[in-house]
Amino acid sequence: MTAAAGSAGTPEELDLDAQIAAYQREFPEVDPQVEKVVTALGRLNRRMNVAYGRQLVDLGISNAEWEVLKALVVVGRPYRLGPGDLAKRLGLTPAAMTHRIDRLVTEGLVTRERDEANRVRVIVELTDEGREKWLQTMRLAAAFEDDLLQDLNTAERAALGEILIRLLRRVETSQPDAGGRLEDLD
């Protein structure tokens, strides 16, 4: 497929209709409605990830660190989990989890202490600074998401949410192991 050259001489992405037309040209059996939906979802996901990544950089944390903070907040007060539990929740190896925890401890966003009830066990706990970093990130994400959905009224937002959940459930049912990392496919 040929794409127009960008200002820096790099190829630009085809617009959605042109991409679907190319698919239809090369694979006439393709359903253009299906392709429009899945291609738009893929592009939206990619662009949202870029936007969130930029916000995280502005706050001085990585996406990997954000995932750990988020996992600790989701469990609720006192925001504590063992490293093994964190690794399972994030689909990581224990070694990868240890590396993330090391960085977060150094940054003062979590603590790592021996469990007083079981001295063999280690507990990772969100610090006040870690919770504040999580809140800062959530504020930026909420503003971005409000802007993203500004053209949809309340009923349209609700309908879109329900439709996307149905699609998600379909994938979760047909691909139960698809919640892992892309590295799992290598």
Side-chain angles (χ1 to χ4, degrees), residues 30-116:
V30 73
D31 182 334
Q33 290 177 322
V34 170
E35 285 307 311
K36 184 172 264 187
V37 169
V38 296
T39 303
L41 284 172
R43 289 182 181 193
L44 179 60
N45 180 59
R46 188 173 66 245
R47 285 167 173 77
M48 289 175 66
N49 284 334
V50 168
Y52 291 136
R54 288 177 179 151
Q55 290 175 343
L56 292 172
V57 167
D58 290 345
L59 291 172
I61 64 171
S62 69
N63 187 60
E65 293 165 330
W66 160 247
E67 287 184 4
V68 175
L69 298 180
K70 180 173 58 173
L72 289 169
V73 168
V74 167
V75 298
R77 290 189 188 277
Y79 311 121
R80 305 173 75 191
L81 282 173
D85 294 331
L86 275 168
K88 285 178 190 170
R89 288 170 187 258
L90 298 177
L92 298 172
T93 65
M97 189 74 253
T98 298
H99 182 66
R100 287 185 186 188
I101 293 168
D102 288 345
R103 288 192 319 250
L104 289 166
V105 167
T106 299
E107 294 169 16
L109 301 177
V110 301
T111 59
R112 178 178 33 210
E113 306 284 333
R114 292 266 173 221
D115 184 347
E116 292 302 321

Side-chain angles (χ1 to χ4, degrees), residues 169-183:
R169 286 186 181 137
R170 167 75 61 190
V171 171
E172 288 172 342
T173 300
S174 66
Q175 304 282 323
D177 61 343
R181 302 282 188 242
L182 290 178
E183 296 86 46

